[in-house]
PDB file of all heavy atoms in Angstrom:
ATOM      1  N   HIS A 162       3.948  -5.795 -32.196  1.00 98.00           N
ATOM      2  CA  HIS A 162       4.516  -5.841 -30.842  1.00 98.00           C
ATOM      3  C   HIS A 162       5.161  -4.510 -30.470  1.00 98.00           C
ATOM      4  O   HIS A 162       5.358  -3.644 -31.313  1.00 98.00           O
ATOM      5  CB  HIS A 162       5.561  -6.963 -30.742  1.00 98.00           C
ATOM      6  CG  HIS A 162       4.971  -8.326 -30.649  1.00 98.00           C
ATOM      7  ND1 HIS A 162       4.334  -8.920 -31.710  1.00 98.00           N
ATOM      8  CD2 HIS A 162       4.905  -9.208 -29.610  1.00 98.00           C
ATOM      9  CE1 HIS A 162       3.885 -10.120 -31.332  1.00 98.00           C
ATOM     10  NE2 HIS A 162       4.223 -10.317 -30.069  1.00 98.00           N
ATOM     11  N   TRP A 163       5.456  -4.391 -29.177  1.00 98.00           N
ATOM     12  CA  TRP A 163       6.293  -3.308 -28.682  1.00 98.00           C
ATOM     13  C   TRP A 163       7.519  -3.951 -28.035  1.00 98.00           C
ATOM     14  O   TRP A 163       7.421  -5.043 -27.456  1.00 98.00           O
ATOM     15  CB  TRP A 163       5.552  -2.477 -27.640  1.00 98.00           C
ATOM     16  CG  TRP A 163       4.464  -1.599 -28.205  1.00 98.00           C
ATOM     17  CD1 TRP A 163       3.201  -1.994 -28.542  1.00 98.00           C
ATOM     18  CD2 TRP A 163       4.550  -0.204 -28.509  1.00 98.00           C
ATOM     19  NE1 TRP A 163       2.479  -0.934 -29.024  1.00 98.00           N
ATOM     20  CE2 TRP A 163       3.294   0.197 -29.004  1.00 98.00           C
ATOM     21  CE3 TRP A 163       5.562   0.754 -28.402  1.00 98.00           C
ATOM     22  CZ2 TRP A 163       3.014   1.506 -29.396  1.00 98.00           C
ATOM     23  CZ3 TRP A 163       5.284   2.062 -28.784  1.00 98.00           C
ATOM     24  CH2 TRP A 163       4.026   2.435 -29.286  1.00 98.00           C
ATOM     25  N   ILE A 164       8.644  -3.271 -28.132  1.00 98.00           N
ATOM     26  CA  ILE A 164       9.878  -3.788 -27.532  1.00 98.00           C
ATOM     27  C   ILE A 164      10.294  -2.856 -26.393  1.00 98.00           C
ATOM     28  O   ILE A 164      10.535  -1.661 -26.611  1.00 98.00           O
ATOM     29  CB  ILE A 164      10.996  -3.921 -28.581  1.00 98.00           C
ATOM     30  CG1 ILE A 164      10.516  -4.891 -29.671  1.00 98.00           C
ATOM     31  CG2 ILE A 164      12.282  -4.428 -27.945  1.00 98.00           C
ATOM     32  CD1 ILE A 164      11.488  -5.101 -30.792  1.00 98.00           C
ATOM     33  N   LEU A 165      10.331  -3.416 -25.179  1.00 98.00           N
ATOM     34  CA  LEU A 165      10.584  -2.620 -23.974  1.00 98.00           C
ATOM     35  C   LEU A 165      12.022  -2.816 -23.491  1.00 98.00           C
ATOM     36  O   LEU A 165      12.528  -3.949 -23.476  1.00 98.00           O
ATOM     37  CB  LEU A 165       9.622  -3.030 -22.851  1.00 98.00           C
ATOM     38  CG  LEU A 165       8.218  -2.395 -22.842  1.00 98.00           C
ATOM     39  CD1 LEU A 165       7.465  -2.675 -24.128  1.00 98.00           C
ATOM     40  CD2 LEU A 165       7.413  -2.883 -21.645  1.00 98.00           C
ATOM     41  N   ASN A 166      12.635  -1.702 -23.083  1.00 98.00           N
ATOM     42  CA  ASN A 166      13.986  -1.742 -22.515  1.00 98.00           C
ATOM     43  C   ASN A 166      14.078  -0.798 -21.326  1.00 98.00           C
ATOM     44  O   ASN A 166      13.509   0.297 -21.356  1.00 98.00           O
ATOM     45  CB  ASN A 166      15.020  -1.310 -23.563  1.00 98.00           C
ATOM     46  CG  ASN A 166      15.365  -2.438 -24.516  1.00 98.00           C
ATOM     47  OD1 ASN A 166      16.034  -3.414 -24.136  1.00 98.00           O
ATOM     48  ND2 ASN A 166      14.878  -2.330 -25.757  1.00 98.00           N
ATOM     49  N   GLY A 167      14.799  -1.227 -20.289  1.00 98.00           N
ATOM     50  CA  GLY A 167      15.016  -0.352 -19.137  1.00 98.00           C
ATOM     51  C   GLY A 167      14.889  -1.100 -17.823  1.00 98.00           C
ATOM     52  O   GLY A 167      14.746  -2.328 -17.798  1.00 98.00           O
ATOM     53  N   ARG A 168      14.941  -0.330 -16.723  1.00 98.00           N
ATOM     54  CA  ARG A 168      14.887  -0.934 -15.377  1.00 98.00           C
ATOM     55  C   ARG A 168      13.847  -0.235 -14.518  1.00 98.00           C
ATOM     56  O   ARG A 168      13.695   0.977 -14.585  1.00 98.00           O
ATOM     57  CB  ARG A 168      16.258  -0.782 -14.689  1.00 98.00           C
ATOM     58  CG  ARG A 168      17.344  -1.644 -15.285  1.00 98.00           C
ATOM     59  CD  ARG A 168      18.708  -1.105 -14.895  1.00 98.00           C
ATOM     60  NE  ARG A 168      18.909  -1.161 -13.444  1.00 98.00           N
ATOM     61  CZ  ARG A 168      19.833  -0.458 -12.802  1.00 98.00           C
ATOM     62  NH1 ARG A 168      20.624   0.363 -13.469  1.00 98.00           N
ATOM     63  NH2 ARG A 168      19.975  -0.579 -11.493  1.00 98.00           N
ATOM     64  N   LYS A 169      13.151  -1.020 -13.727  1.00 98.00           N
ATOM     65  CA  LYS A 169      12.180  -0.491 -12.770  1.00 98.00           C
ATOM     66  C   LYS A 169      12.579  -0.968 -11.378  1.00 98.00           C
ATOM     67  O   LYS A 169      12.889  -2.159 -11.196  1.00 98.00           O
ATOM     68  CB  LYS A 169      10.766  -1.009 -13.104  1.00 98.00           C
ATOM     69  CG  LYS A 169      10.227  -0.487 -14.423  1.00 98.00           C
ATOM     70  CD  LYS A 169       9.904   0.999 -14.321  1.00 98.00           C
ATOM     71  CE  LYS A 169       9.550   1.603 -15.649  1.00 98.00           C
ATOM     72  NZ  LYS A 169       9.358   3.060 -15.554  1.00 98.00           N
ATOM     73  N   VAL A 170      12.591  -0.058 -10.412  1.00 98.00           N
ATOM     74  CA  VAL A 170      13.006  -0.433  -9.046  1.00 98.00           C
ATOM     75  C   VAL A 170      11.875  -0.195  -8.047  1.00 98.00           C
ATOM     76  O   VAL A 170      10.914   0.514  -8.337  1.00 98.00           O
ATOM     77  CB  VAL A 170      14.265   0.344  -8.598  1.00 98.00           C
ATOM     78  CG1 VAL A 170      15.479  -0.082  -9.410  1.00 98.00           C
ATOM     79  CG2 VAL A 170      14.046   1.858  -8.702  1.00 98.00           C
ATOM     80  N   PHE A 171      12.040  -0.794  -6.883  1.00 98.00           N
ATOM     81  CA  PHE A 171      11.053  -0.659  -5.787  1.00 98.00           C
ATOM     82  C   PHE A 171       9.649  -1.063  -6.230  1.00 98.00           C
ATOM     83  O   PHE A 171       8.662  -0.422  -5.847  1.00 98.00           O
ATOM     84  CB  PHE A 171      11.013   0.774  -5.237  1.00 98.00           C
ATOM     85  CG  PHE A 171      12.295   1.255  -4.609  1.00 98.00           C
ATOM     86  CD1 PHE A 171      12.818   2.499  -4.928  1.00 98.00           C
ATOM     87  CD2 PHE A 171      12.967   0.478  -3.692  1.00 98.00           C
ATOM     88  CE1 PHE A 171      13.988   2.963  -4.347  1.00 98.00           C
ATOM     89  CE2 PHE A 171      14.132   0.927  -3.091  1.00 98.00           C
ATOM     90  CZ  PHE A 171      14.642   2.161  -3.421  1.00 98.00           C
ATOM     91  N   VAL A 172       9.563  -2.108  -7.047  1.00 98.00           N
ATOM     92  CA  VAL A 172       8.246  -2.553  -7.535  1.00 98.00           C
ATOM     93  C   VAL A 172       7.621  -3.450  -6.470  1.00 98.00           C
ATOM     94  O   VAL A 172       8.133  -4.542  -6.187  1.00 98.00           O
ATOM     95  CB  VAL A 172       8.404  -3.337  -8.864  1.00 98.00           C
ATOM     96  CG1 VAL A 172       7.043  -3.852  -9.341  1.00 98.00           C
ATOM     97  CG2 VAL A 172       9.072  -2.460  -9.910  1.00 98.00           C
ATOM     98  N   GLY A 173       6.535  -2.987  -5.872  1.00 98.00           N
ATOM     99  CA  GLY A 173       5.881  -3.776  -4.828  1.00 98.00           C
ATOM    100  C   GLY A 173       5.423  -5.123  -5.351  1.00 98.00           C
ATOM    101  O   GLY A 173       4.744  -5.189  -6.378  1.00 98.00           O
ATOM    102  N   ASN A 174       5.815  -6.204  -4.686  1.00 98.00           N
ATOM    103  CA  ASN A 174       5.543  -7.594  -5.098  1.00 98.00           C
ATOM    104  C   ASN A 174       6.314  -7.988  -6.359  1.00 98.00           C
ATOM    105  O   ASN A 174       5.886  -8.885  -7.101  1.00 98.00           O
ATOM    106  CB  ASN A 174       4.047  -7.854  -5.305  1.00 98.00           C
ATOM    107  CG  ASN A 174       3.305  -8.017  -3.986  1.00 98.00           C
ATOM    108  OD1 ASN A 174       3.917  -8.289  -2.953  1.00 98.00           O
ATOM    109  ND2 ASN A 174       2.003  -7.840  -4.020  1.00 98.00           N
ATOM    110  N   SER A 175       7.458  -7.338  -6.562  1.00 98.00           N
ATOM    111  CA  SER A 175       8.273  -7.629  -7.754  1.00 98.00           C
ATOM    112  C   SER A 175       8.503  -9.117  -7.950  1.00 98.00           C
ATOM    113  O   SER A 175       8.406  -9.624  -9.073  1.00 98.00           O
ATOM    114  CB  SER A 175       9.636  -6.934  -7.607  1.00 98.00           C
ATOM    115  OG  SER A 175      10.220  -7.255  -6.339  1.00 98.00           O
ATOM    116  N   HIS A 176       8.787  -9.829  -6.839  1.00 98.00           N
ATOM    117  CA  HIS A 176       9.233 -11.218  -6.980  1.00 98.00           C
ATOM    118  C   HIS A 176       8.097 -12.236  -6.947  1.00 98.00           C
ATOM    119  O   HIS A 176       8.350 -13.431  -7.109  1.00 98.00           O
ATOM    120  CB  HIS A 176      10.276 -11.538  -5.900  1.00 98.00           C
ATOM    121  CG  HIS A 176      11.619 -10.935  -6.224  1.00 98.00           C
ATOM    122  ND1 HIS A 176      11.787  -9.580  -6.424  1.00 98.00           N
ATOM    123  CD2 HIS A 176      12.842 -11.496  -6.409  1.00 98.00           C
ATOM    124  CE1 HIS A 176      13.060  -9.334  -6.712  1.00 98.00           C
ATOM    125  NE2 HIS A 176      13.720 -10.482  -6.707  1.00 98.00           N
ATOM    126  N   ILE A 177       6.883 -11.775  -6.711  1.00 98.00           N
ATOM    127  CA  ILE A 177       5.759 -12.725  -6.709  1.00 98.00           C
ATOM    128  C   ILE A 177       4.655 -12.323  -7.685  1.00 98.00           C
ATOM    129  O   ILE A 177       3.714 -13.079  -7.898  1.00 98.00           O
ATOM    130  CB  ILE A 177       5.148 -12.920  -5.295  1.00 98.00           C
ATOM    131  CG1 ILE A 177       4.581 -11.606  -4.765  1.00 98.00           C
ATOM    132  CG2 ILE A 177       6.195 -13.489  -4.326  1.00 98.00           C
ATOM    133  CD1 ILE A 177       3.751 -11.780  -3.494  1.00 98.00           C
ATOM    134  N   GLY A 178       4.775 -11.145  -8.287  1.00 98.00           N
ATOM    135  CA  GLY A 178       3.732 -10.656  -9.187  1.00 98.00           C
ATOM    136  C   GLY A 178       3.629 -11.505 -10.447  1.00 98.00           C
ATOM    137  O   GLY A 178       4.624 -12.037 -10.936  1.00 98.00           O
ATOM    138  N   ASP A 179       2.391 -11.619 -10.960  1.00 98.00           N
ATOM    139  CA  ASP A 179       2.160 -12.406 -12.176  1.00 98.00           C
ATOM    140  C   ASP A 179       2.076 -11.535 -13.421  1.00 98.00           C
ATOM    141  O   ASP A 179       2.367 -12.003 -14.518  1.00 98.00           O
ATOM    142  CB  ASP A 179       0.841 -13.189 -12.049  1.00 98.00           C
ATOM    143  CG  ASP A 179       0.886 -14.154 -10.889  1.00 98.00           C
ATOM    144  OD1 ASP A 179       1.744 -15.053 -10.915  1.00 98.00           O
ATOM    145  OD2 ASP A 179       0.081 -13.997  -9.941  1.00 98.00           O
ATOM    146  N   VAL A 180       1.628 -10.284 -13.235  1.00 98.00           N
ATOM    147  CA  VAL A 180       1.571  -9.375 -14.384  1.00 98.00           C
ATOM    148  C   VAL A 180       1.924  -7.973 -13.891  1.00 98.00           C
ATOM    149  O   VAL A 180       1.346  -7.465 -12.932  1.00 98.00           O
ATOM    150  CB  VAL A 180       0.189  -9.433 -15.095  1.00 98.00           C
ATOM    151  CG1 VAL A 180      -0.962  -9.027 -14.191  1.00 98.00           C
ATOM    152  CG2 VAL A 180       0.195  -8.606 -16.363  1.00 98.00           C
ATOM    153  N   HIS A 181       2.930  -7.397 -14.546  1.00 98.00           N
ATOM    154  CA  HIS A 181       3.438  -6.082 -14.136  1.00 98.00           C
ATOM    155  C   HIS A 181       2.859  -4.992 -15.045  1.00 98.00           C
ATOM    156  O   HIS A 181       2.877  -5.138 -16.270  1.00 98.00           O
ATOM    157  CB  HIS A 181       4.964  -6.065 -14.219  1.00 98.00           C
ATOM    158  CG  HIS A 181       5.621  -7.154 -13.410  1.00 98.00           C
ATOM    159  ND1 HIS A 181       5.637  -7.149 -12.033  1.00 98.00           N
ATOM    160  CD2 HIS A 181       6.257  -8.302 -13.787  1.00 98.00           C
ATOM    161  CE1 HIS A 181       6.265  -8.234 -11.593  1.00 98.00           C
ATOM    162  NE2 HIS A 181       6.646  -8.955 -12.641  1.00 98.00           N
ATOM    163  N   GLY A 182       2.384  -3.938 -14.432  1.00 98.00           N
ATOM    164  CA  GLY A 182       1.928  -2.772 -15.194  1.00 98.00           C
ATOM    165  C   GLY A 182       3.088  -1.812 -15.312  1.00 98.00           C
ATOM    166  O   GLY A 182       3.396  -1.097 -14.356  1.00 98.00           O
ATOM    167  N   VAL A 183       3.738  -1.822 -16.467  1.00 98.00           N
ATOM    168  CA  VAL A 183       4.997  -1.084 -16.618  1.00 98.00           C
ATOM    169  C   VAL A 183       4.754   0.200 -17.415  1.00 98.00           C
ATOM    170  O   VAL A 183       4.197   0.148 -18.514  1.00 98.00           O
ATOM    171  CB  VAL A 183       6.035  -1.971 -17.345  1.00 98.00           C
ATOM    172  CG1 VAL A 183       7.352  -1.224 -17.494  1.00 98.00           C
ATOM    173  CG2 VAL A 183       6.246  -3.274 -16.596  1.00 98.00           C
ATOM    174  N   VAL A 184       5.182   1.329 -16.857  1.00 98.00           N
ATOM    175  CA  VAL A 184       5.055   2.612 -17.557  1.00 98.00           C
ATOM    176  C   VAL A 184       6.427   2.984 -18.109  1.00 98.00           C
ATOM    177  O   VAL A 184       7.406   2.997 -17.351  1.00 98.00           O
ATOM    178  CB  VAL A 184       4.522   3.709 -16.610  1.00 98.00           C
ATOM    179  CG1 VAL A 184       4.408   5.050 -17.346  1.00 98.00           C
ATOM    180  CG2 VAL A 184       3.165   3.301 -16.029  1.00 98.00           C
TER     181      VAL A 184
END
Side-chain angles (χ1 to χ4, degrees):
H162 284 70
W163 288 81
I164 300 179
L165 276 58
N166 280 289
R168 290 161 63 198
K169 294 290 172 185
V170 292
F171 297 133
V172 178
N174 283 341
S175 51
H176 284 58
I177 62 170
D179 299 299
V180 61
H181 304 289
V183 181
V184 179

